[in-house]
């Protein structure tokens, strides 16, 4: 996201809260007037939500197919490939699990709930754990795409990308997939221009029936994410760095400081790839053969910070809409957020769009995205740094164990 857009989103969020509270106040004098105004907010908000929904399936499909088909050297790298991918996925599972545990404990959003919207939420009766997994395999991939069944779309996209990469003389087809992926990301960029208006409407609508308490709960969500980002760094990455990669913690930070700062200021792990490679080479003498594989791969599929945000956001949004999450929901969140992190492109703000996928999967309203999006810019900067720290951690481990 460009700087101006970020500023507009923040302003829209801020004025949405003010205007919303004011509209709620107007209803004390004239219910009709405030109803009319809320109707306008609803319309503006719905336009924005439909646009977000429109983009989720193509983003997930193309970014996964192009990400996976890019890994054409998985088989040639064999052992390293499998070790790297397993480490990336295991650390993400840890990230989302810590986030859900701390999230359940903090319970952000529990003191507010938009009771009136509860009926609008389409809560399916909870499926059994077995059927959650069975349901990942599509009977008809086109039907999954049309209906937006995300886990099935992901399953199919990974298979599609993997086979695409193993086809001989596939360069033309892969080139087309890459171009289509660029095209979808371009569409996202263009359509995000209306994001401030959409966020203004959604926030104003929400806050016309909510008080100041919602803001405090939002702060709790924000601090919750920041806390889990640090916990993951200190309890998962640093022990791995110290004990397995045998790198000193202080030299880890000193050696990666440019990459971490660059990730923080650009919110893009992909844009940070050259700096990460350079830091790993200069500071830790990592073999180029290893880092040139693990770093771009990590910037494509390893997004622990994003998974952390998504876990906490799902708990916050469920509370906000007064929905109780049960055990199968948590399992669904773990699986979906892990896959969402694989499917998230390493560019600013995509993790927020992919949150839609997680919400969809547990039957929560996409409108929840608007509430957390207002505070997402800073979180995006922080989580991108964590994502890059994760790529570096795994690279150092592989470099060590392959020596
Ligand atoms: N900005 C993140 C990254 O590039 C992705 C996201 O969570 O939006 O790593």
């Amino acid at each position: 996201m460009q700087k101006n857009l970020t500023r507009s989103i923040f302003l829209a969020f801020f004025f949405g809260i003010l205007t919303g509270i004011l509209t709620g106040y107007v209803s004390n004098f004239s219910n009709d007037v405030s109803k009319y105004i809320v109707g306008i907010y609803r319309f503006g908000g719905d336009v924005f939500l439909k646009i977000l929904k429109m983009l989720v399936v193509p983003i997930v499909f193309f970014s996964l197919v192009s990400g996976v088909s890019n890994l054409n050297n998985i088989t040639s790298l064999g052992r390293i490939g499998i070790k790297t991918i397993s480490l990336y996925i295991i650390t993400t599972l840890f990230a989302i699990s810590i986030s859900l545990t701390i999230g359940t404990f903090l319970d952000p959003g529990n003191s507010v709930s938009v009771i009136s919207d509860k009926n609008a939420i389409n809560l399916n009766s909870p499926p059994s754990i077995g059927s959650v997994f069975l349901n990942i395999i599509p009977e008809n991939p086109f039907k999954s795409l049309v209906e937006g069944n995300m886990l099935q779309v992901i399953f199919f996209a990974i298979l599609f990308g993997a086979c695409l990469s193993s086809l001989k003389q596939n360069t033309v087809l892969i080139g087309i997939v890459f171009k289509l992926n660029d095209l979808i990301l371009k569409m996202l960029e263009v359509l995000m221009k209306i994001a401030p208006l959409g966020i203004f409407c959604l926030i104003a609508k929400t806050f016309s029936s909510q008080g100041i308490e919602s803001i405090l709960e939002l702060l709790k969500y924000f601090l919750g994410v920041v806390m889990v980002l640090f916990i993951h760094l200190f309890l998962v990455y640093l022990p791995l760095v110290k004990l397995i990669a045998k790198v000193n913690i202080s030299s880890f930070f000193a050696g990666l400081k440019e990459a971490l700062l660059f990730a923080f200021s650009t919110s893009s792990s992909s844009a940070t790839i050259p700096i990460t490679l350079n830091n790993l080479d200069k500071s830790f003498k990592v073999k180029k053969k290893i880092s040139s594989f693990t770093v771009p791969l990590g910037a494509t599929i390893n997004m622990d910070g994003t998974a952390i945000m998504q876990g906490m956001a799902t708990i916050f949004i469920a509370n906000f809409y007064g929905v109780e999450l049960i055990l199968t929901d948590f399992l669904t969140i773990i699986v979906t957020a892990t896959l969402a992190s694989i499917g998230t492109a390493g560019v600013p703000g995509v993790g927020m769009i992919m949150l839609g996928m997680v919400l969809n999967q547990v039957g929560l309203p996409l409108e929840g995205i608007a509430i957390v999006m207002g505070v997402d810019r800073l979180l995006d900067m922080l989580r991108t740094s964590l994502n890059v720290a994760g790529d570096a951690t795994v690279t150092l481990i592989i470099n060590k164990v392959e020596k």
Side-chain angles (χ1 to χ4, degrees), residues 246-322:
K246 307 268 188 246
V247 169
N248 224 317
I249 307 285
S250 51
S251 27
F252 176 77
F253 286 116
L256 286 166
K257 90 179 161 286
E258 284 92 13
L260 296 178
L261 274 177
F262 198 78
F264 183 79
S265 41
T266 58
S267 294
S268 166
S269 16
S270 293
T272 312
I273 291 174
I275 322 268
T276 316
L277 286 172
N278 178 282
N279 277 186
L280 286 167
D281 176 34
K282 296 270 146 29
S283 320
F284 306 100
K285 306 267 170 292
V286 171
K287 285 189 224 104
K288 290 225 175 57
K289 178 181 150 236
I290 288 179
S291 59
S292 65
F293 169 69
T294 55
V295 172
L297 177 65
T300 316
I301 71 163
N302 183 49
M303 309 273 168
D304 293 3
T306 306
I308 287 171
M309 174 279 287
Q310 289 171 343
M312 193 63 76
T314 308
I315 292 185
F316 173 74
I317 291 166
N319 274 331
F320 205 88
Y321 288 98

Side-chain angles (χ1 to χ4, degrees), residues 267-270 303 306 344-352 380 383-384 387:
S267 294
S268 166
S269 16
S270 293
M303 309 273 168
T306 306
T344 302
V347 289
V350 175
M352 226 342 98
D380 196 5
R383 72 174 175 258
T384 306
N387 291 344

Side-chain angles (χ1 to χ4, degrees), residues 37-49:
I37 302 177
V38 171
I40 298 177
Y41 297 153
R42 178 167 298 126
F43 178 78
D46 285 350
V47 170
F48 177 57
L49 287 178

Side-chain angles (χ1 to χ4, degrees), residues 53-65 135-158 160 184 357 360:
K53 280 192 202 161
M54 174 180 93
L55 287 176
V56 172
V57 171
I59 289 188
V60 173
F61 185 77
F62 286 110
S63 86
L64 265 184
V65 172
N135 243 331
I136 297 179
I137 306 170
E139 255 168 45
N140 174 351
F142 295 101
K143 187 164 162 239
S144 322
L145 284 166
V146 171
E147 290 178 350
N149 186 322
M150 292 325 298
L151 290 186
Q152 298 186 350
V153 170
I154 290 174
F155 182 87
F156 185 68
I158 292 179
F160 191 96
I184 301 293
M357 191 176 111
N360 223 356

